[in-house]
Amino acid sequence: METKGIGSFFSISDDQFKRMIAVFIALVTVLVAAVTYLQSDAASRDDQANRDSKRYAVESFGRQVSGTARVNFDESVAYQMMYEAALMADLADQRQEQDAARRFHTIASEVSLASPLLAPPYYDPKGTSEPDILRYEADVYLVEITTLEENFSAAWEVKTAWDYKANTYIIYITLLALSLFMFGLAATLSSPRSRWVFSGAGVLSTAVAVVASILLWSKPVFDLRQQGNAIADYAQGVGLAHQEQYEAAIESFDRALAAYPAYTNALVERAGANMELAQYDQAVLDYTAAINTGDKRAFVAGNLGWAYYLMGDFQRAIDMNRFALAASPDELWVQFDLGLSMLAAGQVEAAKAEYNRGMEMATRSVADAVTAGREQPAFLWWSLEDAASSLDDCLNTLDQETGNPPPQSIQNPDAVRTTGQDLLTSLKSLTVALEFTNKPPAGTVSGTISPLQISEPVYDDQGEMVSDAEPATEFSFGITEVALQFDYEGMQNGQEYLVKLYFDGVEDPSWRILGVWDYGASGSQTILLSYEYSDYFTFGPGQYQVELYIDQHLMQSATFSVYEE
Amino acid sequence: MDGDMDEVVEEKDDRLQTLMAILIAIVVAIGAIVVWRSSLAEDAAGDADFDGMRAVVFAENTRALNYVNAYEDYRNYLRYWYYTRLGELIDADLATADGEQADLLDQEARAAYNQADANAYFFETRYLNRDGAYNVQRQLGSMWADEQRIKDLEYESKFAVADRLRIKTLHLLLALMVISIAPVFYSLVESVSGGFRLVMITIGSVFAIAGTILAVLIEFTR
């Protein structure tokens, strides 16, 4: 019976067939209208998200420029003026010029009215601390532009998703148009077999288009902007981290992640805050989670490698640094971190090779920039300084037997000390040579310099410096002058010498002394670092490091500290 | 007799087919008009978006430049104020000074006023309050208003128009979908007989009329 029924269905008359085809065509037309509606809806949302993303980008740019202009005024003009007036008042006080002191105190007090930065909550006029510029920046524009930037990214993701949907619906509309063509063709054919084949193909392509359209329609488009307060909490966290309030920042990122657990930027920023709090295990979890959400940025993998290094997990650090370099081979700081991780893992020769590769990359980068007639990116200098500083920290950790990575986790510490010191000298010499000559340091230096001895100079009654000042590494606050004393042999007049001074790990370029050696082949020499020109400034409390270079080669360095009694 | 009946039925069928063809043609024509209006609305939405984006660029450009320039003026004013105030304070002390001290203070006061004057030409004096303080917010507002006279800086309303037009486009397409159901029933008329034909025509016409009314309402309602 069933076979007979199907047979009778396929043997319908020409008129009946054409009527059936007419109904199919009408039905498909409705489906075309429906899918066109969905396509138009998707295209409309695509346009809207595209427009929103552009709007957020332009707004972010404008707010950043206007915010920076304002903060620059508040800090570099208003606060600088108040600082200068207060300084002049203090100097007048020191000279016991009470009237002048009163005048400048009045100005310092009144100029604070010129800027909100110089009033609570950013500044305590009765206190001694500086204005909270980081909080001010966060309030004036940082949180706002972070929100706009996140909205931009979110809108762009939405745009991409709806764009895909709109384009895919067009494929399905084309498929339905193909169905209409099949049905139309079937109605014109006289061969029963052919007309059934074409009408069957039409039904099939219609079914495919309908099912695919339903599946596509049912697939939701993710919009970060609709995930509760995720973006607002994230931006708040960025503002708090900028103010170095890392615990509060982590709480904000926690809220953002509670609203949307796969929020990559929030994971990365929370990891950064955890790093600042030395909660490396938490940072590792967050960086790993960020990578698992699809974050392929080299700095995330590089930072994860750095977290592993600080925890003493050198093999994982090496793996992550390699992973980061595979994504972005020009990341100089990751290249040096790779060398450092290898060094700490006791792979001394491999570490040397990686450091050398990094130094070659830096040299090549400078040479390329010179050839192209452009400046080197500041990032290059930062990477070189960071490499030297990280290596120095590692050596200090070994010497002091405390810190991160845990000293006991460092393999072959004697080799690390020796090789590390050589690499540190090479890095510092390379940095100076590239800065001054655009080339790596050439050859070797003829001559030797004895270790630097630091002392507070002592003067006799005639104002002449006496030579028997006691070398020291610690000085009490208020010292205005230090002397670097050293012996030298085999030197040649005409060589270039450079003295650099670092305060708490950061070079103070105002102290640079660059000169031509004219002290002869051998002897003793004293170089003064002095605030004697000022009756106000002295060496502030902190750690100082002095370096002496000859022809861009680091010859000697020494450290001293100034402490408050 | 049978032949007459056949002729009558055939004539009825012909009339029905003609009616169906006319109804389908009308529905297609209405559908085309709806598509045209929908397309116009979509195009207008794009234009409104463009106008809005242009206004965003103008607005942010204006904001950035205004802040840079206004705070530059404010910086110059503050220098002017600093030296003027210093001169005033020295003048106040000068009143009680005598001899060499008075001469010295007089020189200091003159130097301060000279330096104040050197900065006096580098800010907009019309933004000084009556108490002599510089009102940078007023300057920013004034600069914005100036720019607003020659450039369109308002974009929210344009984006709102664009969004409204997009909704209109979608609603018109929804009406088109309703209208497009009518031919399905019109084409089914040929496949049924007797009273069902009238039912099919009625249902098809209900969809056609409902869709048309919907489209007219969407078109003429803001």
mmCIF file of all heavy atoms in Angstrom, chain A residues 73 113-115, chain B residues 66 69-81 119-120 122-140 142-143:
data_model
loop_
_atom_site.group_PDB
_atom_site.id
_atom_site.type_symbol
_atom_site.label_atom_id
_atom_site.label_comp_id
_atom_site.label_asym_id
_atom_site.label_seq_id
_atom_site.Cartn_x
_atom_site.Cartn_y
_atom_site.Cartn_z
ATOM 1 N N PHE A 73 49.198 70.275 33.162
ATOM 2 C CA PHE A 73 49.132 71.606 33.764
ATOM 3 C C PHE A 73 49.158 71.489 35.285
ATOM 4 O O PHE A 73 49.937 72.166 35.965
ATOM 5 C CB PHE A 73 47.855 72.347 33.320
ATOM 6 C CG PHE A 73 47.571 73.536 34.184
ATOM 7 C CD1 PHE A 73 48.205 74.747 33.938
ATOM 8 C CD2 PHE A 73 46.717 73.443 35.282
ATOM 9 C CE1 PHE A 73 47.984 75.843 34.757
ATOM 10 C CE2 PHE A 73 46.504 74.526 36.109
ATOM 11 C CZ PHE A 73 47.135 75.733 35.845
ATOM 12 N N LEU A 113 45.135 77.112 45.088
ATOM 13 C CA LEU A 113 43.753 77.302 44.635
ATOM 14 C C LEU A 113 43.621 77.128 43.125
ATOM 15 O O LEU A 113 42.512 77.010 42.595
ATOM 16 C CB LEU A 113 43.264 78.715 45.011
ATOM 17 C CG LEU A 113 43.274 79.038 46.502
ATOM 18 C CD1 LEU A 113 42.932 80.503 46.731
ATOM 19 C CD2 LEU A 113 42.290 78.134 47.242
ATOM 20 N N ALA A 114 44.759 77.098 42.445
ATOM 21 C CA ALA A 114 44.721 77.036 40.975
ATOM 22 C C ALA A 114 44.435 75.641 40.444
ATOM 23 O O ALA A 114 44.143 75.479 39.260
ATOM 24 C CB ALA A 114 46.059 77.528 40.407
ATOM 25 N N SER A 115 44.523 74.634 41.297
ATOM 26 C CA SER A 115 44.350 73.276 40.773
ATOM 27 C C SER A 115 43.717 72.357 41.816
ATOM 28 O O SER A 115 44.114 72.375 42.983
ATOM 29 C CB SER A 115 45.721 72.713 40.384
ATOM 30 O OG SER A 115 45.634 71.327 40.188
ATOM 31 N N ASN B 66 40.917 72.347 22.585
ATOM 32 C CA ASN B 66 40.514 73.346 23.582
ATOM 33 C C ASN B 66 41.254 73.155 24.900
ATOM 34 O O ASN B 66 41.704 74.117 25.524
ATOM 35 C CB ASN B 66 39.007 73.276 23.835
ATOM 36 C CG ASN B 66 38.218 73.851 22.670
ATOM 37 O OD1 ASN B 66 38.796 74.368 21.728
ATOM 38 N ND2 ASN B 66 36.901 73.754 22.738
ATOM 39 N N ASN B 69 44.926 74.220 24.452
ATOM 40 C CA ASN B 69 45.086 75.678 24.345
ATOM 41 C C ASN B 69 44.667 76.403 25.625
ATOM 42 O O ASN B 69 45.340 77.339 26.068
ATOM 43 C CB ASN B 69 44.277 76.201 23.152
ATOM 44 C CG ASN B 69 44.890 75.750 21.843
ATOM 45 O OD1 ASN B 69 46.110 75.605 21.730
ATOM 46 N ND2 ASN B 69 44.069 75.484 20.844
ATOM 47 N N ALA B 70 43.562 75.960 26.214
ATOM 48 C CA ALA B 70 43.073 76.649 27.420
ATOM 49 C C ALA B 70 44.068 76.490 28.570
ATOM 50 O O ALA B 70 44.361 77.458 29.290
ATOM 51 C CB ALA B 70 41.707 76.097 27.819
ATOM 52 N N TYR B 71 44.589 75.280 28.728
ATOM 53 C CA TYR B 71 45.531 75.081 29.836
ATOM 54 C C TYR B 71 46.894 75.718 29.555
ATOM 55 O O TYR B 71 47.632 76.034 30.487
ATOM 56 C CB TYR B 71 45.638 73.590 30.193
ATOM 57 C CG TYR B 71 44.505 73.191 31.115
ATOM 58 C CD1 TYR B 71 43.350 72.610 30.623
ATOM 59 C CD2 TYR B 71 44.568 73.462 32.477
ATOM 60 C CE1 TYR B 71 42.288 72.290 31.462
ATOM 61 C CE2 TYR B 71 43.520 73.151 33.330
ATOM 62 C CZ TYR B 71 42.379 72.561 32.814
ATOM 63 O OH TYR B 71 41.341 72.268 33.658
ATOM 64 N N GLU B 72 47.200 75.921 28.286
ATOM 65 C CA GLU B 72 48.400 76.691 27.936
ATOM 66 C C GLU B 72 48.207 78.148 28.380
ATOM 67 O O GLU B 72 49.105 78.755 28.967
ATOM 68 C CB GLU B 72 48.616 76.613 26.418
ATOM 69 C CG GLU B 72 49.837 77.345 25.905
ATOM 70 C CD GLU B 72 51.127 76.650 26.253
ATOM 71 O OE1 GLU B 72 51.079 75.450 26.584
ATOM 72 O OE2 GLU B 72 52.183 77.303 26.235
ATOM 73 N N ASP B 73 47.021 78.682 28.104
ATOM 74 C CA ASP B 73 46.705 80.043 28.546
ATOM 75 C C ASP B 73 46.734 80.139 30.070
ATOM 76 O O ASP B 73 47.244 81.101 30.643
ATOM 77 C CB ASP B 73 45.307 80.446 28.048
ATOM 78 C CG ASP B 73 45.319 80.809 26.576
ATOM 79 O OD1 ASP B 73 46.413 80.823 25.981
ATOM 80 O OD2 ASP B 73 44.233 81.068 26.012
ATOM 81 N N TYR B 74 46.164 79.115 30.683
ATOM 82 C CA TYR B 74 46.093 79.113 32.149
ATOM 83 C C TYR B 74 47.503 79.090 32.743
ATOM 84 O O TYR B 74 47.793 79.750 33.743
ATOM 85 C CB TYR B 74 45.294 77.891 32.590
ATOM 86 C CG TYR B 74 44.824 77.911 34.028
ATOM 87 C CD1 TYR B 74 44.830 79.086 34.791
ATOM 88 C CD2 TYR B 74 44.332 76.753 34.625
ATOM 89 C CE1 TYR B 74 44.385 79.086 36.103
ATOM 90 C CE2 TYR B 74 43.891 76.744 35.937
ATOM 91 C CZ TYR B 74 43.918 77.914 36.663
ATOM 92 O OH TYR B 74 43.479 77.914 37.965
ATOM 93 N N ARG B 75 48.384 78.335 32.086
ATOM 94 C CA ARG B 75 49.783 78.270 32.541
ATOM 95 C C ARG B 75 50.418 79.668 32.487
ATOM 96 O O ARG B 75 51.068 80.103 33.443
ATOM 97 C CB ARG B 75 50.577 77.323 31.651
ATOM 98 C CG ARG B 75 52.002 77.114 32.109
ATOM 99 C CD ARG B 75 52.780 76.303 31.119
ATOM 100 N NE ARG B 75 53.037 77.076 29.912
ATOM 101 C CZ ARG B 75 54.024 76.824 29.058
ATOM 102 N NH1 ARG B 75 54.820 75.822 29.272
ATOM 103 N NH2 ARG B 75 54.201 77.568 27.990
ATOM 104 N N ASN B 76 50.193 80.365 31.375
ATOM 105 C CA ASN B 76 50.757 81.710 31.239
ATOM 106 C C ASN B 76 50.144 82.670 32.256
ATOM 107 O O ASN B 76 50.831 83.526 32.817
ATOM 108 C CB ASN B 76 50.542 82.225 29.811
ATOM 109 C CG ASN B 76 51.329 81.409 28.814
ATOM 110 O OD1 ASN B 76 52.402 80.898 29.126
ATOM 111 N ND2 ASN B 76 50.803 81.246 27.624
ATOM 112 N N TYR B 77 48.840 82.487 32.486
ATOM 113 C CA TYR B 77 48.192 83.330 33.487
ATOM 114 C C TYR B 77 48.822 83.090 34.869
ATOM 115 O O TYR B 77 49.088 84.030 35.617
ATOM 116 C CB TYR B 77 46.686 83.038 33.556
ATOM 117 C CG TYR B 77 46.094 83.583 34.832
ATOM 118 C CD1 TYR B 77 45.835 84.946 34.971
ATOM 119 C CD2 TYR B 77 45.864 82.752 35.927
ATOM 120 C CE1 TYR B 77 45.362 85.465 36.176
ATOM 121 C CE2 TYR B 77 45.392 83.258 37.115
ATOM 122 C CZ TYR B 77 45.138 84.609 37.238
ATOM 123 O OH TYR B 77 44.686 85.117 38.426
ATOM 124 N N LEU B 78 49.053 81.805 35.160
ATOM 125 C CA LEU B 78 49.575 81.480 36.489
ATOM 126 C C LEU B 78 50.959 82.092 36.703
ATOM 127 O O LEU B 78 51.279 82.553 37.807
ATOM 128 C CB LEU B 78 49.622 79.959 36.665
ATOM 129 C CG LEU B 78 49.399 79.451 38.091
ATOM 130 C CD1 LEU B 78 48.100 79.965 38.682
ATOM 131 C CD2 LEU B 78 49.410 77.934 38.126
ATOM 132 N N ARG B 79 51.761 82.114 35.667
ATOM 133 C CA ARG B 79 53.068 82.778 35.770
ATOM 134 C C ARG B 79 52.875 84.273 36.007
ATOM 135 O O ARG B 79 53.571 84.886 36.826
ATOM 136 C CB ARG B 79 53.867 82.571 34.487
ATOM 137 C CG ARG B 79 54.485 81.202 34.403
ATOM 138 C CD ARG B 79 55.351 81.138 33.172
ATOM 139 N NE ARG B 79 55.923 79.824 33.027
ATOM 140 C CZ ARG B 79 56.300 79.320 31.878
ATOM 141 N NH1 ARG B 79 56.160 80.021 30.775
ATOM 142 N NH2 ARG B 79 56.829 78.121 31.807
ATOM 143 N N TYR B 80 51.942 84.821 35.250
ATOM 144 C CA TYR B 80 51.631 86.242 35.404
ATOM 145 C C TYR B 80 51.190 86.520 36.844
ATOM 146 O O TYR B 80 51.659 87.443 37.507
ATOM 147 C CB TYR B 80 50.521 86.628 34.415
ATOM 148 C CG TYR B 80 49.845 87.927 34.711
ATOM 149 C CD1 TYR B 80 50.419 89.145 34.320
ATOM 150 C CD2 TYR B 80 48.627 87.963 35.383
ATOM 151 C CE1 TYR B 80 49.791 90.352 34.605
ATOM 152 C CE2 TYR B 80 48.004 89.149 35.676
ATOM 153 C CZ TYR B 80 48.586 90.342 35.289
ATOM 154 O OH TYR B 80 47.977 91.530 35.580
ATOM 155 N N TRP B 81 50.277 85.653 37.322
ATOM 156 C CA TRP B 81 49.762 85.820 38.680
ATOM 157 C C TRP B 81 50.885 85.703 39.708
ATOM 158 O O TRP B 81 50.945 86.489 40.667
ATOM 159 C CB TRP B 81 48.691 84.754 38.963
ATOM 160 C CG TRP B 81 48.260 84.742 40.392
ATOM 161 C CD1 TRP B 81 47.298 85.505 40.966
ATOM 162 C CD2 TRP B 81 48.834 83.965 41.455
ATOM 163 N NE1 TRP B 81 47.220 85.250 42.311
ATOM 164 C CE2 TRP B 81 48.153 84.306 42.640
ATOM 165 C CE3 TRP B 81 49.856 83.020 41.516
ATOM 166 C CZ2 TRP B 81 48.465 83.732 43.865
ATOM 167 C CZ3 TRP B 81 50.161 82.448 42.746
ATOM 168 C CH2 TRP B 81 49.467 82.804 43.895
ATOM 169 N N ASN B 119 54.510 87.971 30.846
ATOM 170 C CA ASN B 119 53.558 86.877 30.637
ATOM 171 C C ASN B 119 52.144 87.366 30.346
ATOM 172 O O ASN B 119 51.256 86.569 30.063
ATOM 173 C CB ASN B 119 53.516 85.980 31.881
ATOM 174 C CG ASN B 119 54.766 85.119 31.985
ATOM 175 O OD1 ASN B 119 54.909 84.132 31.274
ATOM 176 N ND2 ASN B 119 55.691 85.520 32.843
ATOM 177 N N ALA B 120 51.951 88.692 30.437
ATOM 178 C CA ALA B 120 50.582 89.225 30.379
ATOM 179 C C ALA B 120 49.933 89.084 29.015
ATOM 180 O O ALA B 120 48.717 89.093 28.911
ATOM 181 C CB ALA B 120 50.591 90.695 30.796
ATOM 182 N N PHE B 122 50.075 86.545 26.999
ATOM 183 C CA PHE B 122 49.986 85.157 26.538
ATOM 184 C C PHE B 122 48.802 84.392 27.111
ATOM 185 O O PHE B 122 48.816 83.187 27.199
ATOM 186 C CB PHE B 122 51.300 84.426 26.846
ATOM 187 C CG PHE B 122 52.462 85.022 26.108
ATOM 188 C CD1 PHE B 122 53.324 85.902 26.732
ATOM 189 C CD2 PHE B 122 52.666 84.730 24.764
ATOM 190 C CE1 PHE B 122 54.377 86.473 26.056
ATOM 191 C CE2 PHE B 122 53.723 85.294 24.078
ATOM 192 C CZ PHE B 122 54.578 86.176 24.710
ATOM 193 N N PHE B 123 47.778 85.132 27.537
ATOM 194 C CA PHE B 123 46.530 84.468 27.942
ATOM 195 C C PHE B 123 45.377 85.409 27.646
ATOM 196 O O PHE B 123 45.575 86.601 27.392
ATOM 197 C CB PHE B 123 46.553 84.069 29.421
ATOM 198 C CG PHE B 123 46.744 85.211 30.374
ATOM 199 C CD1 PHE B 123 45.646 85.911 30.863
ATOM 200 C CD2 PHE B 123 48.012 85.589 30.794
ATOM 201 C CE1 PHE B 123 45.822 86.976 31.737
ATOM 202 C CE2 PHE B 123 48.193 86.640 31.675
ATOM 203 C CZ PHE B 123 47.099 87.332 32.149
ATOM 204 N N GLU B 124 44.180 84.852 27.649
ATOM 205 C CA GLU B 124 42.983 85.610 27.269
ATOM 206 C C GLU B 124 42.434 86.329 28.499
ATOM 207 O O GLU B 124 41.896 85.701 29.406
ATOM 208 C CB GLU B 124 41.916 84.648 26.725
ATOM 209 C CG GLU B 124 42.351 83.859 25.518
ATOM 210 C CD GLU B 124 42.153 84.633 24.221
ATOM 211 O OE1 GLU B 124 41.674 85.790 24.278
ATOM 212 O OE2 GLU B 124 42.475 84.088 23.159
ATOM 213 N N THR B 125 42.556 87.645 28.493
ATOM 214 C CA THR B 125 42.137 88.407 29.680
ATOM 215 C C THR B 125 40.630 88.368 29.911
ATOM 216 O O THR B 125 40.164 88.602 31.018
ATOM 217 C CB THR B 125 42.579 89.869 29.551
ATOM 218 O OG1 THR B 125 42.193 90.345 28.268
ATOM 219 C CG2 THR B 125 44.076 90.005 29.709
ATOM 220 N N ARG B 126 39.864 88.077 28.861
ATOM 221 C CA ARG B 126 38.403 88.092 29.063
ATOM 222 C C ARG B 126 37.908 86.934 29.931
ATOM 223 O O ARG B 126 36.743 86.886 30.287
ATOM 224 C CB ARG B 126 37.678 88.101 27.729
ATOM 225 C CG ARG B 126 37.856 86.890 26.868
ATOM 226 C CD ARG B 126 36.941 86.997 25.642
ATOM 227 N NE ARG B 126 37.209 85.962 24.670
ATOM 228 C CZ ARG B 126 38.122 86.064 23.709
ATOM 229 N NH1 ARG B 126 38.848 87.152 23.595
ATOM 230 N NH2 ARG B 126 38.310 85.079 22.849
ATOM 231 N N TYR B 127 38.797 85.996 30.229
ATOM 232 C CA TYR B 127 38.369 84.904 31.099
ATOM 233 C C TYR B 127 38.782 85.129 32.553
ATOM 234 O O TYR B 127 38.737 84.216 33.366
ATOM 235 C CB TYR B 127 38.911 83.572 30.574
ATOM 236 C CG TYR B 127 38.411 83.285 29.191
ATOM 237 C CD1 TYR B 127 39.282 83.155 28.128
ATOM 238 C CD2 TYR B 127 37.039 83.200 28.948
ATOM 239 C CE1 TYR B 127 38.814 82.933 26.844
ATOM 240 C CE2 TYR B 127 36.560 82.978 27.660
ATOM 241 C CZ TYR B 127 37.449 82.851 26.615
ATOM 242 O OH TYR B 127 36.975 82.646 25.358
ATOM 243 N N LEU B 128 39.202 86.362 32.850
ATOM 244 C CA LEU B 128 39.510 86.692 34.246
ATOM 245 C C LEU B 128 38.214 87.021 34.973
ATOM 246 O O LEU B 128 37.360 87.751 34.451
ATOM 247 C CB LEU B 128 40.439 87.907 34.303
ATOM 248 C CG LEU B 128 41.870 87.694 33.797
ATOM 249 C CD1 LEU B 128 42.610 89.024 33.720
ATOM 250 C CD2 LEU B 128 42.615 86.743 34.721
ATOM 251 N N ASN B 129 38.073 86.458 36.167
ATOM 252 C CA ASN B 129 36.911 86.815 36.995
ATOM 253 C C ASN B 129 37.095 88.218 37.561
ATOM 254 O O ASN B 129 38.175 88.808 37.467
ATOM 255 C CB ASN B 129 36.759 85.821 38.155
ATOM 256 C CG ASN B 129 36.283 84.470 37.666
ATOM 257 O OD1 ASN B 129 35.667 84.367 36.602
ATOM 258 N ND2 ASN B 129 36.575 83.453 38.455
ATOM 259 N N ARG B 130 36.059 88.702 38.204
ATOM 260 C CA ARG B 130 36.156 90.049 38.771
ATOM 261 C C ARG B 130 37.193 90.104 39.886
ATOM 262 O O ARG B 130 37.765 91.149 40.162
ATOM 263 C CB ARG B 130 34.787 90.487 39.300
ATOM 264 C CG ARG B 130 33.795 90.690 38.164
ATOM 265 C CD ARG B 130 32.441 91.034 38.682
ATOM 266 N NE ARG B 130 32.388 92.382 39.232
ATOM 267 C CZ ARG B 130 31.302 92.928 39.731
ATOM 268 N NH1 ARG B 130 30.183 92.249 39.762
ATOM 269 N NH2 ARG B 130 31.320 94.144 40.210
ATOM 270 N N ASP B 131 37.408 88.947 40.550
ATOM 271 C CA ASP B 131 38.428 88.938 41.616
ATOM 272 C C ASP B 131 39.834 88.713 41.047
ATOM 273 O O ASP B 131 40.798 88.595 41.806
ATOM 274 C CB ASP B 131 38.105 87.846 42.655
ATOM 275 C CG ASP B 131 38.128 86.453 42.045
ATOM 276 O OD1 ASP B 131 38.374 86.327 40.824
ATOM 277 O OD2 ASP B 131 37.897 85.481 42.793
ATOM 278 N N GLY B 132 39.960 88.661 39.716
ATOM 279 C CA GLY B 132 41.277 88.519 39.100
ATOM 280 C C GLY B 132 41.684 87.087 38.842
ATOM 281 O O GLY B 132 42.696 86.836 38.193
ATOM 282 N N ALA B 133 40.907 86.131 39.342
ATOM 283 C CA ALA B 133 41.264 84.719 39.117
ATOM 284 C C ALA B 133 40.894 84.314 37.693
ATOM 285 O O ALA B 133 39.972 84.873 37.093
ATOM 286 C CB ALA B 133 40.534 83.837 40.121
ATOM 287 N N TYR B 134 41.642 83.370 37.191
ATOM 288 C CA TYR B 134 41.410 82.926 35.813
ATOM 289 C C TYR B 134 40.382 81.801 35.814
ATOM 290 O O TYR B 134 40.518 80.822 36.561
ATOM 291 C CB TYR B 134 42.719 82.412 35.220
ATOM 292 C CG TYR B 134 42.707 82.317 33.710
ATOM 293 C CD1 TYR B 134 42.932 83.449 32.942
ATOM 294 C CD2 TYR B 134 42.470 81.112 33.074
ATOM 295 C CE1 TYR B 134 42.919 83.374 31.554
ATOM 296 C CE2 TYR B 134 42.459 81.032 31.692
ATOM 297 C CZ TYR B 134 42.686 82.168 30.939
ATOM 298 O OH TYR B 134 42.677 82.096 29.570
ATOM 299 N N ASN B 135 39.355 81.945 34.962
ATOM 300 C CA ASN B 135 38.300 80.934 34.927
ATOM 301 C C ASN B 135 38.478 80.043 33.695
ATOM 302 O O ASN B 135 37.939 80.313 32.625
ATOM 303 C CB ASN B 135 36.934 81.628 34.890
ATOM 304 C CG ASN B 135 35.811 80.659 35.171
ATOM 305 O OD1 ASN B 135 35.932 79.465 34.913
ATOM 306 N ND2 ASN B 135 34.723 81.171 35.711
ATOM 307 N N VAL B 136 39.252 79.002 33.875
ATOM 308 C CA VAL B 136 39.573 78.141 32.736
ATOM 309 C C VAL B 136 38.340 77.367 32.263
ATOM 310 O O VAL B 136 38.194 77.074 31.075
ATOM 311 C CB VAL B 136 40.757 77.189 33.075
ATOM 312 C CG1 VAL B 136 40.333 76.132 34.073
ATOM 313 C CG2 VAL B 136 41.346 76.555 31.831
ATOM 314 N N GLN B 137 37.437 77.078 33.194
ATOM 315 C CA GLN B 137 36.221 76.356 32.794
ATOM 316 C C GLN B 137 35.354 77.227 31.883
ATOM 317 O O GLN B 137 34.738 76.733 30.936
ATOM 318 C CB GLN B 137 35.425 75.920 34.029
ATOM 319 C CG GLN B 137 36.098 74.818 34.836
ATOM 320 C CD GLN B 137 36.460 73.591 34.002
ATOM 321 O OE1 GLN B 137 35.726 73.186 33.111
ATOM 322 N NE2 GLN B 137 37.621 73.002 34.262
ATOM 323 N N ARG B 138 35.321 78.535 32.188
ATOM 324 C CA ARG B 138 34.563 79.451 31.331
ATOM 325 C C ARG B 138 35.208 79.519 29.947
ATOM 326 O O ARG B 138 34.521 79.544 28.931
ATOM 327 C CB ARG B 138 34.521 80.845 31.972
ATOM 328 C CG ARG B 138 33.586 81.824 31.242
ATOM 329 C CD ARG B 138 33.005 82.840 32.215
ATOM 330 N NE ARG B 138 34.030 83.695 32.789
ATOM 331 C CZ ARG B 138 34.476 84.828 32.221
ATOM 332 N NH1 ARG B 138 33.990 85.230 31.067
ATOM 333 N NH2 ARG B 138 35.396 85.555 32.819
ATOM 334 N N GLN B 139 36.527 79.523 29.930
ATOM 335 C CA GLN B 139 37.214 79.551 28.638
ATOM 336 C C GLN B 139 36.894 78.296 27.826
ATOM 337 O O GLN B 139 36.603 78.377 26.633
ATOM 338 C CB GLN B 139 38.728 79.672 28.824
ATOM 339 C CG GLN B 139 39.468 79.744 27.498
ATOM 340 C CD GLN B 139 40.970 79.955 27.653
ATOM 341 O OE1 GLN B 139 41.490 79.960 28.758
ATOM 342 N NE2 GLN B 139 41.647 80.147 26.533
ATOM 343 N N LEU B 140 36.921 77.150 28.510
ATOM 344 C CA LEU B 140 36.615 75.900 27.809
ATOM 345 C C LEU B 140 35.194 75.911 27.261
ATOM 346 O O LEU B 140 34.943 75.511 26.116
ATOM 347 C CB LEU B 140 36.804 74.703 28.757
ATOM 348 C CG LEU B 140 38.255 74.313 29.047
ATOM 349 C CD1 LEU B 140 38.316 73.331 30.219
ATOM 350 C CD2 LEU B 140 38.904 73.679 27.813
ATOM 351 N N SER B 142 33.389 78.543 26.552
ATOM 352 C CA SER B 142 33.294 79.544 25.500
ATOM 353 C C SER B 142 33.894 79.018 24.191
ATOM 354 O O SER B 142 33.321 79.200 23.105
ATOM 355 C CB SER B 142 34.033 80.799 25.976
ATOM 356 O OG SER B 142 33.981 81.776 25.004
ATOM 357 N N MET B 143 35.034 78.352 24.304
ATOM 358 C CA MET B 143 35.681 77.802 23.100
ATOM 359 C C MET B 143 34.788 76.738 22.455
ATOM 360 O O MET B 143 34.680 76.640 21.236
ATOM 361 C CB MET B 143 37.044 77.195 23.462
ATOM 362 C CG MET B 143 38.088 78.232 23.840
ATOM 363 S SD MET B 143 39.518 77.461 24.629
ATOM 364 C CE MET B 143 40.647 77.339 23.260
#
